[in-house]
Structures are given as structure tokens and as C-alpha cells.
Amino acid sequence: MPESSAQSAIINDVLLLYELSLAIGSSLDARKNCEGFLNILQARKNITQVAVWILTDADDADGAPQLSLLYANPRRSTPVAGRERTPPLLRTMHERRPVTISSPEMDDERLAGDGLFVLFPLAEFGVLELYFPSRHATIPPRTVNQLKNVIDKFAASLAGSLAHERLQHTEALLRQSENRYRMLIENLPQRFFIKDTSSNFVTISHNLASDLGIQPDEVSGKNDFDFFPAELAKKFQMDDQRVMQQGKPEEIEERVIVRGEERIIQTIKAPALDRDGNIAGVLGMFWDISEQKKDREQIARLVASVEHAQDAIIISDQEARIQYVNPAFEQMTGYAASDAVGQFTRILRSNKHPEAFYKHMLDTVQQGNIWRGEMIIQCRDGSLRHVERNIAPVFDDAGEVICHVTIQRDITEHKQMEEKFLHAQKMESLGILVGGVAHEFNNALAGITGRLYLLKRKLTASATALNDVEIAEELCFRSADMVKKMLAFARKSPLQMHDFDLGSFIRETFRLHRLSIPESITVHTMFEADTMVIHGDTSQVQQIIINLLNNARDAVEGVENPEITLSLAHFVPDATFIQAHPDTADRHFARISVDDNGHGIHPSDLPHIFDPFYTTKEVGKGTGLGLAMVYGACGMHEGYVDVTSQPGKGTRMEICLPLIDTPDHTLESAPLPATARGHGELILLVDDEEMLRETLKEVLLSLGYRVLEASDGEQAMQLFSSHHHELALVLMDVVMPRMGGVEAGGLMQAMQPDVPVIFCTGYDKHDVMADENIADDMTVSKPYNIELISQQIARHIRKPFTSG
């Protein structure tokens, strides 16, 4: 029962007792005394029939006492109880305590239905009989005890009415009873009052009189307008009239101004009944609940805060048994409150921590200390969540721990972002390392390939030596390809971006690469017919497809009935994909998928498969750069790569590349010139690496060109000024630490457009020079493929040649 309802019940009982006490001894006439007392009791307690039985002077034939009916409502014609009815009444008198029995035991033929009797002893001379028409009616023991007390006083009053010679004693008992109940009322903190039907005060309690600044006997004839503002007094009297009209108690909460301060008053008013049961006024009591109201509002705010908190909140006892969880807990863990309450908090254990971790946590809070930390919990569906947990003990007034409050915040997404950030930092660090090493490494390879080219021209007579040179040359280009993959991973590889149809491109790439996959492997392809245009580098995309197919080929080695599936489909990101990649909303992608039924990837290897040089293959079967190149190339195309794998069941690699909305795209390819030799044209060669410069000079001379060489920017500017009329082309390293105070961009601006400039680079020119005017076909990569660089020079060299 709510606190206010319990208080109301107590107050109603007090008012009833007070009203009954006033009716006791109202007349020396025994029947009127009964009528005045019992009418009030019937009206208040829904009693349909009452009767008062008293002992007669005569006994029956067997010598047993007889009872006669003194008073009954409704009235009865039988004045004496039957033999069957007498024993329960006599037993009540003998035991001197209230007795509750069913109507069949009373054997009263006038009573229809199966009701309930409550019999109260009236001292030693009679019994009060109360009849409730339903046997399911319940009389709380507290009410029975309260009624017994007042009925005992009624019995004393009735005894005085029956025996005039005991009148003085009876009056003393009545005065004593009245004083007791008045003392009870006067010592309660509530304010009591009684009004007549005109809302004039009849009597008030001493504490109310003190509040009003008067004596209790001074209130007679006064009303609310004498003590309160007119508007408030009018409301009080309207409440009085409503209670009297409805004939039932009413609780009223109102705000009043007391000494300039707003207070909240709780009032209970009930109709006051006279001896005949007619409404004669209003009984009332009220008390100040301002502080209780504030406390309830504070508690309500606290409860609302807990219920609407975004963090999960758990209240548990000293043994870690859950007593309460808020809605955020239900949403976070999947456990409904009804399922969690009564369980131990160990239902959230994921076993991702050692037993010592949980023991330390529990010991800390049981010792009255706060535990803070991060942990992994297991939800009801078996999924795992990273949480930040704070467990604090709650103490009572004696300093004893009564419960624990746990606040649990889901940091799973934060952890995922943190891992991505750390991975990005690692990739960036590796990229910086690759970018720093690649240029010097490619310079060395360029010198080697140049010397091998010159050596090969001199060894035409020895087939064996020529073969060795060609093998060495091939090894150099394989090393260069490894550097290229590292640069792709580091996103520093030069790109030649244009728009092309991915579907047609993948079909052609697969057709050419299919021969490298053994016929024992069944290969399926599923390509959507729609055109899917992307903006990308065909070489990089081709390498992505080839690397994925090669990995799948190696993964199914030794598997019975090996299968690989290559598919291409249009993809619109769903909620799961967007959650993993928030910037993909409202974008469309082409999704390349490569599935195999191979050995799968062990969960411990999954986080590292895109790291450079990380491989699970045998020595000599993999460099660990294939997937690193895929990862880097996807990043350069603003795409994404996802991997799902189950050991023993296979792996699925998915590449998502953004689509563009440009129609009618075709792949463009320009054939290279067939002739790549010079005719005495003058080339200015600018490079700070002496060995590389000397090698490339000899290569150019062997190709039929004349060469001027410069080791820095200042020397290059001097030679350009002296020979710019006859210069046909400038071949310049884009990165030179010793520029002699001259920037590479300044050299380019000074030389172009008079003389074509081809830049030699070990990685993406845009990482070094922020000049977007450098065309992609005006760069060559180290190490030099002599055939390709000769064709590049032949394409751009300035003609006609002018000497001196």
C-alpha cells in the first residue's frame, strides 16, 4: 500500500474511533445508546446487520444461561435466541475475545446467502453481533482490535444504561475514555477540526488553535473566512459541501501561503454523522507535507534519471545478487529486468579475464572500496561487449555496506575506433618508412639495371653470360615490383587515374589470369550485367584482383574439391556496413568478392593479414606484401576491404570501390612508339646521385643521344641558360637534397614550355611537388626499364633538332 493510502487508512480509523467515542453514553436509554453507537459503525464499516444480545435472569431447562435480543438493526420480532444460536454467543462471552464464524453456524433462517459474523463480547453481560453479507469479507486484525477497544467502552456505557446503580461508575469510564481519545488526538501532529453543515467550526484541536492564534473554545461560531484569505476560505467551504453531498471521505492536496511561504497541505475530510446516521457536518484533519513532497519529487527525479540514463545501472547486494537494473542495462545486455533480478552478476562473465581478475574486483567492493576498470562482458545472445565499469558500495547510517551500485558504460565502438586508429598509426609509420627507403632503393636498382643494359649490349657473343645478365635484370625488376607493392601499401605509388567500366575490366583481367590457376580448381564467376564505372588506376585494380585470386589459389591447395568464386555486384551499404564505415552513407559501391573453400585463417592471424611482410605461407611461397598492397590500393581508391574466415571452411574477401555517375566511359590506351632511338638530340640529365647519373648517361649515349649532366639545381640552371636553344629534353630527378638553392618547381617553370621535362621518381611525384601541372606521362619510375624510358623520351623529345 502506498504511504499516502496507509496514512489515509490510519486517519480514517482514528476519525471513526473519535466519532464512536463521542457517541458512547449519549443516552441513559439502552436502546438509544445502542442506536447512536451502532448506526455510526454500520455506516462506516458497511455492516448490513447488527444485534446486541444480553444475559437474562432465567436459565433454560438444562440450567444453561439464556440470551435475549436487546437491539437489532434491522429490527427482529424474535426476542430470544434459539438453542442452536446460543452456543457461539456464550462461547464469545466465556472466551472474552472477538469470534468470527460463518452464517450457517449461527443457523439464522432470516439471513439469505452465506455471510460472515463477527461477535464481540460485551463485558460479562452480553454480545455484540455484526453481520457481513459476504463470507469473502475480510476484517484486518488491526481493525478488529481497534473496534474491540471502542466496543469495550460501548459495553461499559451500555452496562451503565442497563443498571442505573452503576451510573456513576459508567460516567467515570466514559470521561476516562473521552480523555484518552482526546489525548490521542491532541498528541498527534495532524490538525483536527469538526464543522457543522454551514462550515462553521464546532471544535478544533489544540495545535490547530495554536496555529490560528486562539484558544480552542474561542472557535465556536467562526468559519474559514475568519482565519484565511477569502479565495482560500471559499475553496475550503466548497470542499466541505462536496464531502457532505457525496457522503464519503475525500483526500485533498492544496497549496497555501503560511507566513509568506508556500506550503503543501494534505487534508482528509469525512462527513460527520449524528445519532440517527444523518450527516451533521464535516470531520477533518490535515498536515503539512511540503518536505515529504519535496523528498518524493527528489526521489522521482532520481528514479527518472536512473531509468533514462544511457549507462547501464545495476544495484546488487553484498553477495553480488542483482536487485535492480535500469532499461539501459536491458538494451546493452539483452537481459530483461525480470530475468536479471535475483541472478548473480556473474551472468555477465565472458571468461575473457582470469579468475583472479574477478576475485580482485569482488574483494575490493566487499571491503567497502570503489572498483574502476575496463572489462569484457557476455550478453544474453552470446555476443561480447567492452565496458567501462564503476562499482561503488552504499553505506547505511551505521556505516555498514547495504548494497553495491554498478555503472556500466559500453565502450565497444570506442575500442574498435581505437584499434582502427592504432592500426592507421602503424600503417602511417610503415608508410613513412617505405617512402623514405623507396627512393634510395630504387636509385640503386636503377643504376644496376642501367649497367646490366649496357653489359648486355657488350655480351652478344656469349649466350651464357647474356643469360646470366638477363636473370640479374629480372631479379632487379622483381625487387622493384616489391618496392612498388610497398609503395602501394604506403599510398605513395604514382597513380594514373581515369574512369573505366569495372565489369569489363574484371572480365578481361580474369580471362588473362585464369591460366595461372590449376585446372583442378573449380572457378565460378558471377558478374552483374550493369555497367559499374569507377575512377581508378587500372594497374592497381588489376593487382588487387590478381593478389586475391592468387591468395585463394594458395588457400585451397590440398583441399578436396577446391573451389574459388569471383563475383562483382552493385552494393548499397546497409546499417552494419555504415556502422563499421560511417562515411559510406548515401554512397553506392561496386563489390568485388573472392570466396574459397580453403583452410581459412586462424582468428589470431586475422588482425595482421594486411601488415607488410606478415605471411603464414611457407618460406619462398609468399612475401607478405600481397594483401598489404591490396589494403593500400583500396585506400588510394577510397575503398574498403573486409575479410570473413572460418578455419577449415574457407575465406571471403570483399573489396568495395566507390561508383561514379558518369555515363559512357571507355578504357583509354595509347600505343607506345615503336622506335625508341635518338638521332643526336641533346638531353640535359640532372641527378645528384653520381653513380646513377653516370650510368644513365652511358645508356642515353648508347641510344644515340648527346648528354649534358648536372649534379644540382644551380649547375642545371647554368647549363640550361647556355644550351636551351639546342636542348631537346631535360631528364631530372624530382628529389635532390642538394639543389644548390634552387627548388625543383623553379627549375620546371624556367625550363617549360621551351623544353620538355621528364621527372624521374621513386614514388608519387605529388608527395614531393604540389604542382598539379605535371602530367602523368611526363614521369618515369625507378628503377628504369630501358625500353620504356627510351620510348618515353622518344615521345616527348623536342624536334626538329637544332645544333649550337
Side-chain angles (χ1 to χ4, degrees):
M1 178 183 293
E3 181 181 354
S4 61
S5 299
Q7 284 187 331
S8 299
I10 293 172
I11 291 167
N12 285 332
D13 288 340
V14 170
L15 290 174
L16 172 62
L17 296 177
Y18 182 73
E19 191 173 1
L20 289 174
S21 68
L22 295 178
I24 293 174
S26 57
S27 175
L28 289 176
D29 184 271
R31 289 178 176 80
K32 289 185 177 181
N33 198 348
C34 292
E35 183 178 16
F37 180 83
L38 295 176
N39 279 350
I40 296 174
L41 187 60
Q42 278 186 277
R44 288 279 184 262
K45 290 298 183 179
N46 192 28
I47 301 172
T48 60
Q49 177 179 298
V50 297
V52 177
W53 300 87
I54 61 172
L55 286 170
T56 64
D57 295 333
D59 297 336
D60 64 4
D62 297 332
Q66 292 192 36
L67 294 170
S68 65
L69 184 66
L70 173 66
Y71 171 82
N73 184 19
R75 296 183 180 277
R76 301 184 189 174
S77 58
T78 304
V80 179
R83 180 176 295 274
E84 293 78 15
R85 192 180 183 93
T86 302
L89 301 178
L90 294 177
R91 187 173 73 248
T92 301
M93 290 178 56
H94 176 72
E95 294 178 358
R96 302 293 299 274
R97 64 179 180 82
V99 175
T100 302
I101 59 178
S102 62
S103 60
E105 293 180 75
M106 295 296 286
D107 192 30
D108 193 333
E109 60 184 12
R110 289 174 302 280
L111 299 176
D114 191 7
L116 187 70
F117 283 92
V118 181
L119 307 179
F120 289 87
L122 297 176
E124 298 178 353
F125 64 89
V127 176
L128 171 62
E129 172 188 311
L130 306 179
Y131 177 73
F132 297 85
S134 172
R135 66 173 178 175
H136 298 294
T138 57
I139 311 297
R142 179 176 60 82
T143 301
V144 173
N145 291 334
Q146 289 174 339
L147 289 176
K148 181 180 182 304
N149 289 334
V150 74
I151 289 172
D152 287 345
K153 306 305 181 294
F154 165 69
S157 171
L158 185 59
S161 300
L162 294 172
H164 183 67
E165 64 273 12
R166 296 163 56 194
L167 179 60
Q168 296 298 320
H169 178 66
T170 302
E171 289 178 350
L173 290 176
L174 289 173
R175 285 193 298 270
Q176 182 181 359
S177 176
E178 181 181 352
N179 290 337
R180 185 180 297 118
Y181 284 108
R182 180 166 290 280
M183 184 182 299
L184 171 65
I185 291 175
E186 294 297 346
N187 285 282
L188 289 173
Q190 289 82 7
R191 275 62 173 159
F192 293 86
F193 60 84
I194 300 177
K195 296 179 181 179
D196 60 20
T197 54
S198 299
S199 290
N200 292 322
F201 288 104
V202 175
T203 184
I204 61 175
S205 60
H206 282 280
N207 51 11
L208 177 55
S210 177
D211 292 341
L212 299 177
I214 60 173
Q215 294 298 320
D217 55 4
E218 296 175 358
V219 77
S220 180
K222 298 184 182 297
N223 57 41
D224 296 301
F225 285 92
D226 295 311
F227 305 107
F228 303 103
E231 184 176 349
L232 189 58
K234 182 178 180 181
K235 182 183 182 306
F236 288 163
Q237 293 197 357
M238 290 176 63
D239 295 339
D240 296 340
Q241 297 303 315
R242 184 174 63 254
V243 169
M244 288 187 287
Q245 289 173 3
Q246 295 178 354
K248 60 182 181 181
E250 183 175 330
E251 289 188 31
I252 305 167
E253 185 177 297
E254 48 207 351
R255 297 178 183 271
V256 300
I257 304 298
V258 179
R259 300 183 184 91
E261 182 181 359
E262 184 181 73
R263 309 297 293 176
I264 302 174
I265 303 300
Q266 181 78 30
T267 303
I268 294 180
K269 292 184 178 182
L273 304 179
D274 60 16
R275 297 173 184 175
D276 298 324
N278 299 318
I279 295 176
V282 175
L283 299 173
M285 65 180 297
F286 66 87
W287 64 100
D288 189 335
I289 62 168
S290 302
E291 298 306 320
Q292 296 94 317
K293 189 76 170 179
K294 290 180 181 177
D295 292 343
R296 287 198 297 268
E297 290 175 352
Q298 180 70 16
I299 292 173
R301 284 193 293 269
L302 178 61
V303 171
S305 299
V306 171
E307 290 288 309
H308 292 88
Q310 297 300 307
D311 295 336
I313 297 178
I314 310 166
I315 299 177
S316 56
D317 61 17
Q318 270 282 62
E319 298 179 350
R321 185 182 285 104
I322 298 173
Q323 298 175 328
Y324 166 84
V325 295
N326 69 339
F329 171 90
E330 297 178 301
Q331 184 176 4
M332 181 185 299
T333 66
Y335 285 98
S338 57
D339 298 327
V341 172
Q343 300 282 347
F344 290 95
T345 55
R346 69 169 65 98
I347 62 173
L348 300 177
R349 285 193 180 183
S350 64
N351 295 322
K352 294 296 182 180
H353 306 281
E355 186 62 32
F357 172 88
Y358 298 107
K359 185 177 185 302
H360 172 71
M361 178 175 62
L362 188 59
D363 290 345
T364 299
V365 296
Q366 287 184 338
Q367 293 169 7
N369 299 317
I370 297 175
W371 186 90
R372 297 184 180 90
E374 294 181 4
M375 62 188 300
I376 300 173
I377 65 169
Q378 180 170 306
C379 301
R380 184 167 190 171
D381 62 1
S383 61
L384 302 178
R385 310 294 293 177
H386 287 266
V387 298
E388 186 178 72
R389 180 178 281 188
N390 185 317
I391 310 176
V394 178
F395 301 91
D396 60 13
D397 294 337
E400 297 294 329
V401 176
I402 57 175
C403 66
H404 299 132
V405 176
T406 300
I407 300 177
Q408 187 168 277
R409 174 168 295 178
D410 191 337
I411 58 171
T412 305
E413 292 184 6
H414 174 76
K415 280 291 185 182
Q416 292 172 347
M417 292 181 65
E418 187 178 73
E419 290 176 2
K420 288 181 180 180
F421 177 72
L422 293 175
H423 182 72
Q425 281 189 318
K426 180 174 66 174
M427 297 300 101
E428 183 180 1
S429 299
L430 289 171
I432 294 173
L433 175 64
V434 168
V437 171
H439 182 70
E440 297 299 327
F441 191 64
N442 279 333
N443 276 348
L445 288 176
I448 295 172
T449 54
R451 288 296 175 181
L452 289 173
Y453 173 79
L454 295 173
L455 182 60
K456 186 166 58 174
R457 291 172 60 87
K458 299 175 182 178
L459 291 176
T460 53
S462 174
T464 303
L466 184 61
N467 183 60
D468 291 340
V469 170
E470 288 177 346
I471 291 174
E473 192 176 37
E474 176 63 24
L475 290 173
C476 285
F477 284 112
R478 284 178 60 184
S479 298
D481 185 60
M482 182 181 295
V483 174
K484 184 177 180 181
K485 290 181 178 180
M486 293 170 64
L487 288 170
F489 163 78
R491 304 186 187 183
K492 295 183 178 291
S493 178
L495 298 179
Q496 296 189 16
M497 307 287 284
H498 61 278
D499 301 341
F500 63 94
D501 176 23
L502 185 60
S504 302
F505 180 78
I506 289 181
R507 287 184 179 88
E508 182 63 20
T509 299
F510 175 73
R511 186 183 66 81
L512 296 174
H513 192 67
R514 178 63 179 88
L515 297 176
S516 67
I517 301 176
E519 293 184 358
S520 59
I521 300 175
T522 302
V523 181
H524 306 282
T525 59
M526 294 183 293
F527 302 136
E528 283 190 5
D530 295 342
T531 300
M532 284 177 272
V533 179
I534 69 168
H535 184 71
D537 184 305
T538 54
S539 175
Q540 294 280 354
V541 175
Q542 184 182 56
Q543 285 299 313
I544 289 174
I545 298 167
I546 291 173
N547 274 296
L548 294 183
L549 288 174
N550 287 343
N551 273 4
R553 177 198 62 199
D554 297 340
V556 298
E557 184 177 351
V559 173
E560 186 178 356
N561 301 320
E563 292 185 8
I564 298 174
T565 301
L566 172 65
S567 60
L568 173 67
H570 182 267
F571 174 63
V572 178
D574 53 19
T576 303
F577 193 85
I578 293 174
Q579 184 178 8
H581 310 290
D583 56 343
T584 59
D586 301 323
R587 299 177 66 187
H588 289 211
F589 293 83
R591 181 165 63 187
I592 306 168
S593 302
V594 177
D595 297 80
D596 66 68
N597 63 342
H599 301 289
I601 304 172
H602 193 275
S604 61
D605 292 322
L606 270 176
H608 309 288
I609 60 174
F610 295 114
D611 293 352
F613 306 111
Y614 185 88
T615 181
T616 58
K617 298 177 182 179
E618 298 177 6
V619 176
K621 290 192 175 182
T623 63
L625 285 172
L627 288 180
M629 178 268 169
V630 170
Y631 181 87
C634 284
M636 285 188 288
H637 287 78
E638 298 182 0
Y640 303 93
V641 55
D642 288 315
V643 183
T644 54
S645 183
Q646 287 185 289
K649 293 186 177 181
T651 301
R652 179 182 180 87
M653 293 276 185
E654 291 184 346
I655 306 296
C656 292
L657 301 177
L659 295 173
I660 60 173
D661 298 326
T662 304
D664 302 328
H665 287 77
T666 57
L667 271 172
E668 298 179 2
S669 59
L672 292 175
T675 302
R677 295 188 60 82
H679 300 86
E681 294 92 343
L682 183 62
I683 295 177
L684 173 58
L685 175 61
V686 186
D687 200 311
D688 62 337
E689 290 285 344
E690 182 178 359
M691 182 181 65
L692 182 58
R693 190 175 65 250
E694 287 297 325
T695 300
L696 189 53
K697 175 183 176 181
E698 291 190 32
V699 170
L700 292 174
L701 290 174
S702 70
L703 291 174
Y705 297 103
R706 294 181 300 137
V707 180
L708 294 174
E709 53 180 314
S711 60
D712 57 39
E714 186 174 354
Q715 186 179 10
M717 287 298 292
Q718 292 174 355
L719 290 173
F720 180 80
S721 299
S722 303
H723 300 276
H724 72 278
H725 291 298
E726 59 178 319
L727 279 175
L729 184 125
V730 176
L731 191 62
M732 181 172 64
D733 187 0
V734 78
V735 179
M736 291 193 299
R738 300 183 300 275
M739 293 297 290
V742 180
E743 296 292 339
L747 282 173
M748 183 194 73
Q749 291 177 0
M751 296 173 182
Q752 290 182 321
D754 296 338
V755 179
V757 179
I758 294 179
F759 292 95
C760 305
T761 175
Y763 44 89
D764 189 358
K765 61 183 176 59
H766 296 303
D767 285 346
V768 182
M769 300 177 63
D771 194 324
E772 299 298 332
N773 294 319
I774 302 178
D776 290 327
D777 64 348
M778 298 300 289
T779 62
V780 293
S781 299
K782 300 176 184 178
Y784 303 126
N785 182 311
I786 303 303
E787 285 75 10
L788 292 179
I789 194 174
S790 67
Q791 294 170 351
Q792 190 87 328
I793 292 172
R795 183 186 303 130
H796 294 290
I797 200 162
R798 186 174 66 166
K799 296 178 180 179
F801 166 68
T802 305
S803 63

